[in-house]
Amino acid sequence: QVRLVESGGGLVQAGGSLRLSCTAFGSIFTSPMGWYRQAPGKQREVVALITRRGSTNYADSVKGRFTISRDNAKNTVYLQMNSLKPEDTAVYYCVYGGGPDYWGQGTQVTVSS
């Protein structure tokens, strides 16, 4: 069983930055991890994924603005979000495993125009 604890969401103006963190408890931290998001009235979508070795994959809408990274020693994955846009407003979920198999509780990110 894996428990994911997220932090770092909040309210920011367009053009600003936020960093999300997610720590995994109860695992060896060997699986891929990443972030999904769900905006009001929209389907949940993948934002960024990272393997244990550091290979990354991004949604086209965030390429060049968001950076995913992980610290295996701390069992933590990060999402640095720069040049935020109002359309980035959503609940962001940390995920673990290829399924993904586990989901965090979600953290709200709101970008004002």
Side-chain angles (χ1 to χ4, degrees):
Q1 193 74 7
V2 175
R3 184 168 66 95
L4 303 173
V5 179
E6 302 146 333
S7 62
L11 173 64
V12 65
Q13 288 189 331
S17 299
L18 285 174
R19 189 173 85 151
L20 305 182
S21 300
C22 172
T23 300
F25 295 91
S27 80
I28 306 176
F29 204 58
T30 59
S31 293
M33 292 189 70
W35 296 89
Y36 279 61
R37 68 185 180 186
Q38 187 167 22
K42 295 188 177 181
Q43 289 189 331
R44 197 170 290 188
E45 63 178 0
V46 63
V47 176
L49 301 170
I50 185 168
T51 68
R52 185 176 187 274
R53 293 189 175 186
S55 297
T56 59
N57 200 2
Y58 295 92
D60 288 343
S61 59
V62 307
K63 282 180 181 177
R65 301 188 297 121
F66 290 10
T67 302
I68 189 170
S69 60
R70 65 191 286 169
D71 184 336
N72 291 336
K74 296 181 178 180
N75 283 7
T76 299
V77 64
Y78 305 95
L79 185 67
Q80 178 66 44
M81 305 184 292
N82 298 329
S83 301
L84 282 161
K85 304 176 181 180
E87 51 263 44
D88 293 317
T89 295
V91 177
Y92 284 70
Y93 296 91
C94 176
V95 298
Y96 177 93
D101 304 314
Y102 297 94
W103 294 75
Q105 79 281 3
T107 185
Q108 177 70 46
V109 171
T110 303
V111 184
S112 62
S113 57

XYZ file of all heavy atoms in Angstrom:
860
model
N 0.845 -1.191 0.000
C 0.000 0.000 0.000
C 0.889 1.254 0.000
O 1.917 1.290 0.666
C -0.903 0.011 1.243
C -2.030 1.025 1.187
C -3.146 0.629 0.265
O -3.173 -0.490 -0.265
N -4.079 1.523 0.021
N 0.472 2.256 -0.757
C 1.234 3.495 -0.879
C 0.334 4.665 -0.522
O -0.815 4.733 -0.967
C 1.772 3.665 -2.316
C 2.453 5.018 -2.470
C 2.741 2.537 -2.660
N 0.843 5.561 0.286
C 0.104 6.791 0.601
C 0.883 7.968 0.067
O 2.103 8.061 0.274
C -0.081 6.925 2.106
C -0.912 8.125 2.527
C -1.290 7.997 4.004
N -0.116 8.087 4.866
C 0.292 9.209 5.449
N -0.351 10.350 5.230
N 1.341 9.195 6.248
N 0.171 8.853 -0.628
C 0.800 10.017 -1.258
C 0.318 11.274 -0.558
O -0.893 11.490 -0.431
C 0.447 10.065 -2.742
C 0.824 8.833 -3.555
C 0.264 8.931 -4.968
C 2.335 8.666 -3.605
N 1.240 12.110 -0.150
C 0.906 13.356 0.536
C 1.429 14.527 -0.279
O 2.642 14.654 -0.491
C 1.502 13.386 1.958
C 1.169 14.708 2.640
C 0.984 12.215 2.776
N 0.500 15.357 -0.739
C 0.838 16.477 -1.615
C 0.860 17.790 -0.840
O 0.158 17.950 0.161
C -0.201 16.593 -2.737
C -0.338 15.355 -3.585
C -1.754 15.131 -4.057
O -2.683 15.576 -3.361
O -1.928 14.507 -5.115
N 1.595 18.747 -1.374
C 1.591 20.100 -0.817
C 2.028 21.066 -1.902
O 2.563 20.650 -2.936
C 2.533 20.193 0.382
O 3.862 19.927 -0.004
N 1.766 22.357 -1.665
C 2.280 23.391 -2.553
C 1.272 24.092 -3.430
O 1.622 25.019 -4.142
N 0.030 23.672 -3.410
C -0.966 24.364 -4.217
C -1.278 25.735 -3.653
O -0.799 26.117 -2.580
N -2.091 26.504 -4.384
C -2.471 27.816 -3.909
C -2.977 28.705 -5.019
O -3.287 28.235 -6.118
N -3.041 29.984 -4.711
C -3.521 30.999 -5.643
C -2.344 31.833 -6.116
O -1.534 32.298 -5.304
C -4.555 31.893 -4.944
C -5.048 33.120 -5.718
C -5.808 32.693 -6.978
C -5.937 33.971 -4.819
N -2.259 32.027 -7.419
C -1.167 32.811 -7.995
C -1.695 33.586 -9.195
O -2.663 33.154 -9.848
C 0.000 31.874 -8.398
C -0.415 30.928 -9.512
C 1.239 32.658 -8.780
N -1.064 34.709 -9.478
C -1.448 35.477 -10.656
C -0.845 34.864 -11.911
O 0.186 34.171 -11.852
C -0.982 36.923 -10.507
C -1.773 37.726 -9.490
C -1.423 39.197 -9.527
O -0.300 39.564 -9.877
N -2.369 40.048 -9.161
N -1.477 35.138 -13.025
C -0.956 34.665 -14.304
C 0.484 35.140 -14.481
O 0.819 36.281 -14.165
C -1.821 35.173 -15.446
N 1.321 34.239 -14.968
C 2.734 34.542 -15.124
C 3.580 34.139 -13.930
O 4.815 34.150 -14.009
N 2.932 33.806 -12.843
C 3.635 33.423 -11.628
C 4.054 31.973 -11.625
O 3.878 31.249 -12.613
N 4.599 31.552 -10.473
C 5.126 30.201 -10.330
C 4.629 29.551 -9.045
O 4.342 30.234 -8.062
C 6.663 30.229 -10.302
O 7.198 30.749 -11.494
N 4.554 28.243 -9.081
C 4.273 27.427 -7.911
C 5.077 26.149 -8.024
O 5.390 25.710 -9.131
C 2.785 27.071 -7.810
C 1.798 28.134 -7.352
C 0.368 27.587 -7.479
C 2.069 28.549 -5.910
N 5.366 25.555 -6.869
C 6.002 24.241 -6.872
C 5.175 23.289 -6.017
O 4.916 23.550 -4.841
C 7.431 24.294 -6.344
C 8.157 22.965 -6.548
C 9.622 23.010 -6.198
N 9.870 22.782 -4.784
C 10.986 22.234 -4.299
N 11.951 21.864 -5.135
N 11.161 22.089 -3.013
N 4.791 22.189 -6.638
C 4.067 21.138 -5.935
C 5.052 20.060 -5.492
O 6.015 19.758 -6.200
C 3.001 20.516 -6.838
C 1.983 21.472 -7.465
C 0.975 20.675 -8.295
C 1.291 22.305 -6.421
N 4.769 19.483 -4.330
C 5.572 18.375 -3.819
C 4.662 17.217 -3.469
O 3.502 17.418 -3.095
C 6.348 18.794 -2.567
O 7.213 19.867 -2.828
N 5.194 16.020 -3.592
C 4.429 14.826 -3.249
C 5.400 13.793 -2.676
O 6.348 13.391 -3.352
C 3.721 14.275 -4.467
S 2.926 12.676 -4.198
N 5.140 13.372 -1.446
C 5.963 12.359 -0.800
C 5.196 11.056 -0.708
O 4.025 11.045 -0.322
C 6.390 12.819 0.590
O 7.148 14.029 0.470
C 7.245 11.763 1.280
N 5.858 9.979 -1.090
C 5.259 8.648 -1.049
C 5.691 7.923 0.217
O 6.874 7.861 0.532
C 5.676 7.847 -2.278
N 4.707 7.354 0.903
C 4.961 6.585 2.114
C 4.544 5.141 1.864
O 3.532 4.883 1.224
C 4.173 7.151 3.285
C 4.584 8.534 3.677
C 3.971 9.646 3.116
C 5.595 8.743 4.590
C 4.342 10.930 3.462
C 5.985 10.020 4.954
C 5.357 11.116 4.379
N 5.354 4.211 2.380
C 4.964 2.823 2.309
C 5.423 2.089 1.072
O 4.946 1.005 0.778
N 6.372 2.705 0.309
C 6.845 2.016 -0.888
C 8.356 2.137 -0.994
O 8.977 2.898 -0.270
C 6.220 2.615 -2.135
O 6.905 3.806 -2.495
N 8.927 1.373 -1.925
C 10.363 1.466 -2.162
C 10.668 2.560 -3.171
O 11.808 2.809 -3.506
C 10.900 0.098 -2.653
C 10.498 -1.011 -1.676
C 12.400 0.095 -2.806
C 10.903 -2.413 -2.154
N 9.644 3.198 -3.652
C 9.816 4.337 -4.566
C 10.511 3.925 -5.850
O 11.397 4.612 -6.340
C 10.603 5.452 -3.855
C 10.366 6.822 -4.429
C 9.091 7.355 -4.475
C 11.402 7.585 -4.904
C 8.861 8.614 -4.970
C 11.192 8.852 -5.413
C 9.934 9.363 -5.443
N 10.133 2.791 -6.391
C 10.762 2.346 -7.627
C 9.895 2.585 -8.847
O 10.364 2.464 -9.963
C 11.076 0.837 -7.549
O 9.856 0.133 -7.334
C 12.055 0.545 -6.441
N 8.640 2.902 -8.641
C 7.718 3.008 -9.768
C 7.717 4.417 -10.355
O 8.169 5.368 -9.719
C 6.302 2.666 -9.299
O 6.200 1.325 -8.939
N 7.168 4.522 -11.572
C 6.992 5.864 -12.128
C 6.068 6.690 -11.238
O 5.191 6.148 -10.555
C 6.344 5.611 -13.491
C 6.648 4.195 -13.803
C 6.701 3.483 -12.488
N 6.269 7.979 -11.247
C 5.383 8.891 -10.538
C 5.060 10.050 -11.452
O 5.687 10.238 -12.502
C 6.028 9.393 -9.247
C 6.206 8.323 -8.202
S 6.724 8.973 -6.606
C 5.245 9.825 -6.055
N 4.073 10.828 -11.049
C 3.738 11.965 -11.878
C 2.594 12.775 -11.332
O 2.214 12.624 -10.162
N 2.056 13.601 -12.201
C 0.968 14.510 -11.844
C -0.108 14.492 -12.920
O 0.206 14.516 -14.116
C 1.499 15.937 -11.699
C 2.479 16.094 -10.585
C 3.826 15.935 -10.659
C 2.193 16.415 -9.221
N 4.392 16.135 -9.430
C 3.423 16.437 -8.534
C 1.020 16.696 -8.522
C 3.509 16.732 -7.167
C 1.104 16.984 -7.176
C 2.329 17.001 -6.505
N -1.335 14.439 -12.456
C -2.507 14.633 -13.296
C -3.212 15.892 -12.796
O -2.929 16.391 -11.695
C -3.474 13.441 -13.167
C -3.122 12.233 -13.989
C -1.926 11.545 -13.806
C -4.004 11.750 -14.961
C -1.617 10.419 -14.565
C -3.716 10.615 -15.711
C -2.526 9.968 -15.503
O -2.235 8.857 -16.251
N -4.144 16.374 -13.586
C -4.964 17.493 -13.127
C -6.378 17.368 -13.685
O -6.599 16.731 -14.709
C -4.363 18.839 -13.529
C -4.374 19.130 -15.023
C -3.630 20.436 -15.314
N -3.631 20.746 -16.747
C -2.951 21.767 -17.279
N -2.224 22.573 -16.498
N -3.007 21.987 -18.566
N -7.294 18.008 -12.976
C -8.678 18.027 -13.427
C -9.254 19.410 -13.183
O -9.327 19.879 -12.032
C -9.522 16.988 -12.702
C -10.929 16.871 -13.258
C -11.654 15.639 -12.764
O -11.322 15.062 -11.740
N -12.658 15.210 -13.525
N -9.631 20.056 -14.279
C -10.259 21.369 -14.202
C -11.770 21.196 -14.107
O -12.307 20.162 -14.515
C -9.893 22.181 -15.436
N -12.471 22.199 -13.601
C -13.928 22.103 -13.472
C -14.587 21.804 -14.820
O -14.304 22.473 -15.822
C -14.329 23.487 -12.966
C -13.123 23.998 -12.262
C -11.961 23.464 -13.021
N -15.430 20.796 -14.843
C -16.147 20.456 -16.052
C -15.340 19.727 -17.103
O -15.835 19.500 -18.217
N -14.093 19.370 -16.768
C -13.232 18.696 -17.744
C -12.779 17.349 -17.216
O -12.825 17.090 -16.017
C -12.024 19.567 -18.079
C -12.379 20.859 -18.788
C -11.128 21.576 -19.260
C -11.483 22.834 -20.034
N -10.263 23.540 -20.521
N -12.310 16.524 -18.142
C -11.777 15.220 -17.746
C -10.400 15.362 -17.124
O -9.667 16.311 -17.418
C -11.713 14.296 -18.961
C -13.067 13.830 -19.474
C -12.916 12.753 -20.542
O -11.932 12.710 -21.251
N -13.904 11.875 -20.622
N -10.079 14.393 -16.294
C -8.747 14.369 -15.708
C -7.733 14.104 -16.814
O -7.961 13.283 -17.696
C -8.688 13.277 -14.636
C -7.539 13.391 -13.686
C -7.710 12.413 -12.538
N -8.806 12.803 -11.656
C -9.057 12.189 -10.502
N -8.314 11.160 -10.118
N -10.054 12.581 -9.742
N -6.588 14.792 -16.766
C -5.576 14.639 -17.798
C -4.185 14.539 -17.186
O -3.927 15.095 -16.116
C -5.608 15.828 -18.768
C -5.293 17.165 -18.137
C -5.279 18.316 -19.136
O -5.519 18.088 -20.329
O -5.028 19.447 -18.699
N -3.300 13.855 -17.882
C -1.927 13.748 -17.409
C -1.202 15.057 -17.658
O -1.403 15.711 -18.688
C -1.204 12.565 -18.104
C -1.109 12.794 -19.593
C 0.141 12.325 -17.479
N -0.375 15.452 -16.712
C 0.418 16.672 -16.830
C 1.882 16.312 -17.101
O 2.489 16.806 -18.044
C 0.323 17.518 -15.546
C 1.238 18.740 -15.641
C -1.121 17.929 -15.290
N 2.447 15.478 -16.243
C 3.855 15.109 -16.386
C 4.107 13.803 -15.644
O 3.485 13.545 -14.610
C 4.766 16.201 -15.832
N 5.021 12.996 -16.197
C 5.391 11.720 -15.600
C 6.909 11.607 -15.554
O 7.605 12.189 -16.394
C 4.816 10.562 -16.407
C 3.295 10.521 -16.564
C 2.898 9.462 -17.588
C 2.628 10.253 -15.233
N 7.407 10.848 -14.567
C 8.853 10.654 -14.449
C 9.127 9.246 -13.953
O 8.471 8.754 -13.036
C 9.476 11.715 -13.508
C 11.000 11.587 -13.496
C 8.895 11.624 -12.097
C 11.694 12.781 -12.833
N 10.088 8.582 -14.586
C 10.487 7.248 -14.155
C 11.504 7.359 -13.018
O 12.006 8.447 -12.702
C 11.114 6.459 -15.303
O 12.378 7.078 -15.639
C 10.215 6.439 -16.519
N 11.816 6.207 -12.410
C 12.767 6.216 -11.310
C 14.133 6.725 -11.778
O 14.848 7.382 -11.020
C 12.923 4.817 -10.731
C 13.815 4.761 -9.507
C 13.850 3.371 -8.919
N 14.575 3.347 -7.654
C 15.872 3.217 -7.547
N 16.608 3.109 -8.644
N 16.456 3.225 -6.366
N 14.462 6.453 -13.035
C 15.754 6.890 -13.566
C 15.736 8.332 -14.055
O 16.757 8.854 -14.478
C 16.185 5.961 -14.693
C 16.504 4.558 -14.220
C 17.131 3.735 -15.316
N 17.553 2.418 -14.836
C 18.230 1.543 -15.570
N 18.570 1.839 -16.823
N 18.558 0.371 -15.057
N 14.555 8.954 -14.047
C 14.508 10.368 -14.398
C 14.026 10.693 -15.796
O 14.048 11.855 -16.197
N 13.586 9.691 -16.544
C 13.010 9.981 -17.859
C 11.658 10.660 -17.667
O 10.861 10.232 -16.830
C 12.835 8.697 -18.659
O 14.083 8.107 -18.910
N 11.414 11.705 -18.453
C 10.205 12.502 -18.252
C 9.334 12.539 -19.496
O 9.806 12.323 -20.628
C 10.569 13.940 -17.856
O 11.380 14.517 -18.890
C 11.328 13.969 -16.547
N 8.076 12.863 -19.276
C 7.108 13.016 -20.344
C 6.123 14.100 -19.909
O 5.683 14.099 -18.751
C 6.370 11.697 -20.585
C 5.729 11.647 -21.944
O 5.853 12.575 -22.728
N 5.066 10.548 -22.228
N 5.796 15.014 -20.822
C 4.935 16.142 -20.494
C 3.763 16.247 -21.463
O 3.883 15.914 -22.645
C 5.711 17.457 -20.576
C 6.826 17.604 -19.569
C 8.120 17.212 -19.886
C 6.581 18.126 -18.302
C 9.148 17.341 -18.965
C 7.604 18.262 -17.371
C 8.883 17.864 -17.722
O 9.899 17.996 -16.807
N 2.669 16.787 -20.963
C 1.576 17.173 -21.836
C 2.046 18.346 -22.698
O 2.815 19.200 -22.237
C 0.361 17.582 -21.013
N 1.570 18.404 -23.926
C 1.986 19.479 -24.827
C 1.676 20.854 -24.242
O 2.427 21.813 -24.440
C 1.288 19.334 -26.176
C 1.829 18.174 -26.988
O 2.939 17.689 -26.678
O 1.138 17.737 -27.930
N 0.593 20.943 -23.498
C 0.144 22.230 -22.985
C 1.065 22.807 -21.907
O 0.982 24.006 -21.605
C -1.270 22.101 -22.422
O -1.301 21.145 -21.381
N 1.941 21.981 -21.336
C 2.813 22.474 -20.262
C 4.292 22.408 -20.630
O 5.138 22.864 -19.853
C 2.573 21.712 -18.941
C 1.104 21.734 -18.569
C 3.089 20.285 -19.023
N 4.617 21.868 -21.782
C 6.020 21.772 -22.191
C 6.666 23.151 -22.215
O 6.094 24.112 -22.728
C 6.129 21.117 -23.568
C 5.963 19.604 -23.550
C 6.082 19.022 -24.952
C 5.893 17.510 -24.935
N 5.932 16.937 -26.301
N 7.867 23.216 -21.649
C 8.595 24.476 -21.622
C 8.231 25.365 -20.442
O 8.916 26.357 -20.177
N 7.158 25.008 -19.724
C 6.739 25.808 -18.564
C 6.824 25.024 -17.261
O 7.143 25.595 -16.224
C 5.300 26.303 -18.752
C 5.094 27.153 -19.987
C 3.701 27.769 -20.006
N 2.655 26.751 -20.073
C 1.691 26.615 -19.157
N 1.644 27.411 -18.108
N 0.750 25.681 -19.301
N 6.543 23.735 -17.318
C 6.549 22.891 -16.116
C 7.757 21.949 -16.166
O 8.166 21.503 -17.242
C 5.288 22.030 -16.050
C 4.011 22.788 -15.781
C 3.953 24.165 -15.804
C 2.848 22.087 -15.482
C 2.779 24.847 -15.564
C 1.657 22.749 -15.230
C 1.629 24.143 -15.280
N 8.285 21.658 -14.981
C 9.385 20.715 -14.869
C 9.100 19.734 -13.736
O 8.845 20.147 -12.605
C 10.708 21.429 -14.588
O 10.978 22.379 -15.630
C 11.854 20.424 -14.525
N 9.146 18.447 -14.065
C 8.962 17.415 -13.049
C 10.327 16.858 -12.655
O 11.213 16.717 -13.512
C 8.025 16.289 -13.555
C 7.667 15.340 -12.412
C 8.636 15.555 -14.736
C 6.564 14.350 -12.782
N 10.493 16.579 -11.382
C 11.742 16.003 -10.900
C 11.428 15.115 -9.697
O 10.317 15.169 -9.155
C 12.737 17.099 -10.507
O 12.210 17.912 -9.482
N 12.389 14.305 -9.304
C 12.168 13.446 -8.146
C 13.454 13.285 -7.365
O 14.549 13.330 -7.925
C 11.588 12.091 -8.549
C 12.470 11.208 -9.386
C 11.692 10.009 -9.936
N 11.410 9.006 -8.925
C 10.564 7.988 -9.116
N 9.920 7.854 -10.264
N 10.362 7.099 -8.156
N 13.291 13.101 -6.069
C 14.406 12.841 -5.164
C 14.152 11.459 -4.572
O 13.324 11.306 -3.663
C 14.450 13.915 -4.074
C 15.645 13.763 -3.152
O 16.171 12.635 -3.031
O 16.045 14.758 -2.546
N 14.836 10.462 -5.080
C 14.589 9.091 -4.650
C 14.942 8.887 -3.176
O 14.322 8.076 -2.496
C 15.369 8.114 -5.522
C 14.820 8.054 -6.939
O 13.662 8.353 -7.196
N 15.681 7.689 -7.882
N 15.916 9.621 -2.678
C 16.311 9.485 -1.273
C 15.202 9.968 -0.340
O 15.075 9.490 0.790
C 17.596 10.259 -1.008
N 14.398 10.914 -0.804
C 13.314 11.465 0.006
C 11.946 10.929 -0.397
O 10.929 11.351 0.144
C 13.304 12.992 -0.101
C 14.550 13.660 0.454
C 14.448 15.175 0.339
C 15.676 15.855 0.929
N 15.584 17.343 0.819
N 11.918 10.017 -1.370
C 10.641 9.480 -1.864
C 9.688 10.592 -2.275
O 8.486 10.516 -2.026
C 9.970 8.597 -0.796
C 10.596 7.228 -0.694
O 11.618 6.955 -1.320
N 10.014 6.370 0.093
N 10.227 11.606 -2.911
C 9.443 12.790 -3.224
C 9.566 13.162 -4.698
O 10.654 13.069 -5.270
C 9.886 13.978 -2.348
O 9.676 13.641 -0.968
C 9.098 15.227 -2.676
N 8.448 13.568 -5.268
C 8.417 14.075 -6.630
C 7.933 15.524 -6.585
O 7.116 15.885 -5.730
C 7.507 13.211 -7.527
C 6.057 13.267 -7.073
C 7.634 13.606 -8.979
N 8.461 16.338 -7.482
C 8.147 17.756 -7.517
C 7.591 18.145 -8.888
O 7.908 17.513 -9.901
C 9.401 18.591 -7.254
C 10.117 18.246 -5.975
C 11.187 17.360 -5.987
C 9.718 18.794 -4.763
C 11.851 17.031 -4.815
C 10.385 18.475 -3.582
C 11.442 17.593 -3.610
O 12.101 17.270 -2.449
N 6.804 19.201 -8.898
C 6.359 19.792 -10.161
C 6.558 21.299 -10.049
O 5.836 21.975 -9.326
C 4.890 19.467 -10.452
C 4.393 19.954 -11.812
C 5.088 19.174 -12.939
C 2.890 19.816 -11.935
N 7.577 21.797 -10.737
C 7.818 23.237 -10.786
C 7.006 23.811 -11.933
O 7.182 23.399 -13.084
C 9.309 23.516 -11.006
C 9.650 24.994 -11.113
C 9.404 25.742 -9.819
O 9.743 25.281 -8.745
N 8.803 26.920 -9.928
N 6.126 24.739 -11.614
C 5.226 25.312 -12.605
C 5.546 26.799 -12.762
O 5.371 27.573 -11.817
C 3.773 25.113 -12.184
C 3.420 23.661 -11.913
S 1.668 23.415 -11.531
C 1.568 24.243 -9.954
N 6.009 27.167 -13.941
C 6.346 28.554 -14.247
C 5.421 29.091 -15.330
O 4.759 28.321 -16.037
C 7.792 28.652 -14.705
C 8.780 28.228 -13.653
O 8.549 28.374 -12.448
N 9.907 27.669 -14.086
N 5.397 30.396 -15.459
C 4.577 31.052 -16.492
C 3.149 30.519 -16.465
O 2.582 30.173 -17.503
C 5.206 30.846 -17.876
O 6.513 31.365 -17.916
N 2.582 30.464 -15.292
C 1.249 29.885 -15.144
C 0.195 30.708 -15.859
O 0.278 31.945 -15.941
C 0.903 29.750 -13.664
C 1.574 28.562 -12.969
C 1.587 28.746 -11.468
C 0.880 27.269 -13.344
N -0.793 30.001 -16.390
C -1.893 30.606 -17.128
C -3.210 30.285 -16.429
O -3.308 29.266 -15.723
C -1.933 30.040 -18.551
C -0.646 30.197 -19.320
C -0.752 29.507 -20.682
C 0.535 29.633 -21.471
N 0.433 28.951 -22.794
N -4.236 31.104 -16.640
C -5.537 30.787 -16.029
C -6.035 29.391 -16.388
O -6.691 28.743 -15.557
C -6.451 31.880 -16.602
C -5.539 33.038 -16.832
C -4.240 32.428 -17.299
N -5.708 28.925 -17.574
C -6.158 27.583 -17.977
C -5.424 26.458 -17.247
O -5.785 25.293 -17.399
C -6.027 27.398 -19.491
C -4.673 27.746 -20.061
C -4.642 29.168 -20.633
O -5.165 30.095 -19.974
O -4.070 29.336 -21.734
N -4.420 26.796 -16.453
C -3.761 25.794 -15.615
C -4.529 25.565 -14.316
O -4.188 24.661 -13.544
C -2.334 26.228 -15.269
C -1.423 26.268 -16.475
O -1.481 25.333 -17.306
O -0.633 27.224 -16.587
N -5.544 26.361 -14.071
C -6.352 26.201 -12.871
C -7.005 24.818 -12.842
O -7.691 24.432 -13.792
C -7.442 27.289 -12.798
O -6.805 28.571 -12.663
C -8.369 27.065 -11.624
N -6.768 24.087 -11.763
C -7.271 22.720 -11.651
C -6.893 22.154 -10.284
O -6.102 22.759 -9.550
C -6.668 21.836 -12.745
N -7.443 21.004 -9.987
C -6.955 20.207 -8.865
C -5.863 19.300 -9.423
O -6.092 18.592 -10.405
C -8.070 19.382 -8.216
C -7.488 18.506 -7.102
C -9.163 20.296 -7.672
N -4.711 19.348 -8.807
C -3.565 18.561 -9.252
C -3.400 17.340 -8.339
O -3.388 17.474 -7.111
C -2.298 19.411 -9.245
C -2.236 20.375 -10.400
C -3.093 21.470 -10.468
C -1.334 20.186 -11.448
C -3.061 22.347 -11.551
C -1.282 21.059 -12.528
C -2.154 22.136 -12.567
O -2.116 22.999 -13.640
N -3.250 16.177 -8.981
C -3.147 14.921 -8.246
C -1.791 14.279 -8.492
O -1.364 14.135 -9.648
C -4.225 13.941 -8.699
C -5.625 14.389 -8.421
C -6.334 15.123 -9.379
C -6.255 14.072 -7.223
C -7.633 15.530 -9.129
C -7.557 14.478 -6.972
C -8.232 15.197 -7.929
O -9.520 15.599 -7.678
N -1.150 13.888 -7.428
C 0.068 13.099 -7.522
C -0.324 11.644 -7.756
O -1.301 11.161 -7.174
C 0.851 13.228 -6.224
S 2.336 12.229 -6.112
N 0.444 10.953 -8.600
C 0.154 9.545 -8.872
C 1.416 8.709 -8.737
O 2.536 9.214 -8.895
C -0.452 9.346 -10.273
C -1.766 10.079 -10.407
C 0.528 9.764 -11.357
N 1.210 7.428 -8.470
C 2.310 6.470 -8.295
C 1.968 5.184 -9.018
O 0.838 4.690 -8.924
C 2.491 6.194 -6.807
C 3.554 5.177 -6.488
C 4.849 5.564 -6.220
C 3.244 3.819 -6.423
C 5.824 4.632 -5.922
C 4.216 2.879 -6.128
C 5.507 3.297 -5.880
O 6.476 2.369 -5.583
N 2.956 4.675 -9.756
C 2.735 3.418 -10.443
C 2.287 3.622 -11.877
O 1.825 4.686 -12.267
N 2.408 2.544 -12.653
C 2.146 2.650 -14.078
C 0.688 2.750 -14.457
O 0.370 3.108 -15.595
N -0.229 2.443 -13.521
C -1.655 2.373 -13.798
C -2.326 3.685 -14.172
O -3.052 3.757 -15.164
N -2.193 4.782 -13.392
C -1.496 4.797 -12.100
C -2.206 3.916 -11.062
O -3.404 3.705 -11.146
C -1.554 6.266 -11.684
C -1.914 7.027 -12.909
C -2.764 6.104 -13.727
N -1.438 3.441 -10.117
C -1.974 2.543 -9.122
C -2.480 3.251 -7.873
O -3.380 2.744 -7.195
C -0.894 1.522 -8.719
C -0.357 0.773 -9.926
O -1.169 0.322 -10.753
O 0.874 0.650 -10.061
N -1.883 4.392 -7.552
C -2.270 5.143 -6.367
C -2.372 6.620 -6.708
O -1.629 7.130 -7.548
C -1.236 4.955 -5.244
C -1.119 3.527 -4.778
C -0.147 2.690 -5.316
C -1.978 3.019 -3.814
C -0.032 1.372 -4.905
C -1.876 1.708 -3.387
C -0.907 0.893 -3.946
O -0.803 -0.419 -3.533
N -3.306 7.291 -6.016
C -3.561 8.708 -6.232
C -3.474 9.455 -4.897
O -3.898 8.945 -3.868
C -4.956 8.915 -6.817
C -5.114 8.344 -8.189
C -5.251 7.026 -8.523
C -5.167 9.070 -9.418
N -5.377 6.890 -9.885
C -5.332 8.130 -10.460
C -5.092 10.428 -9.740
C -5.420 8.507 -11.800
C -5.184 10.809 -11.071
C -5.347 9.848 -12.084
N -2.962 10.685 -4.960
C -3.012 11.562 -3.806
C -4.391 12.169 -3.665
O -5.282 11.924 -4.485
N -4.565 12.975 -2.633
C -5.872 13.562 -2.346
C -6.163 14.766 -3.216
O -7.314 15.203 -3.311
C -5.970 13.968 -0.860
C -5.277 15.267 -0.502
C -3.777 15.133 -0.353
O -3.194 14.068 -0.566
N -3.129 16.221 0.043
N -5.137 15.303 -3.856
C -5.322 16.460 -4.731
C -5.016 17.765 -4.033
O -5.275 17.918 -2.830
N -4.468 18.702 -4.779
C -4.192 20.027 -4.259
C -4.648 21.058 -5.289
O -4.397 20.905 -6.481
C -2.702 20.200 -3.915
O -2.486 21.475 -3.296
C -1.801 20.069 -5.131
N -5.324 22.097 -4.819
C -5.916 23.081 -5.726
C -4.869 24.086 -6.171
O -4.135 24.650 -5.352
C -7.063 23.816 -5.026
C -7.698 24.914 -5.864
C -8.500 24.367 -7.031
O -9.279 23.430 -6.882
N -8.319 24.977 -8.208
N -4.834 24.322 -7.465
C -4.021 25.386 -8.049
C -4.970 26.324 -8.782
O -5.724 25.894 -9.659
C -2.971 24.830 -9.027
C -2.289 25.966 -9.782
C -1.949 23.986 -8.280
N -4.943 27.595 -8.405
C -5.801 28.590 -9.024
C -4.936 29.721 -9.560
O -4.138 30.302 -8.821
C -6.817 29.162 -8.024
O -7.594 28.092 -7.482
C -7.742 30.161 -8.709
N -5.092 29.997 -10.856
C -4.318 31.049 -11.512
C -5.285 32.146 -11.930
O -6.174 31.912 -12.755
C -3.554 30.509 -12.720
C -2.672 31.605 -13.323
C -2.715 29.301 -12.345
N -5.089 33.315 -11.379
C -5.973 34.436 -11.695
C -5.413 35.249 -12.854
O -4.200 35.361 -13.024
C -6.139 35.334 -10.472
O -4.900 35.890 -10.098
N -6.320 35.827 -13.625
C -5.889 36.606 -14.805
C -5.660 38.056 -14.442
O -5.989 38.507 -13.377
C -6.943 36.497 -15.898
O -8.189 36.931 -15.413
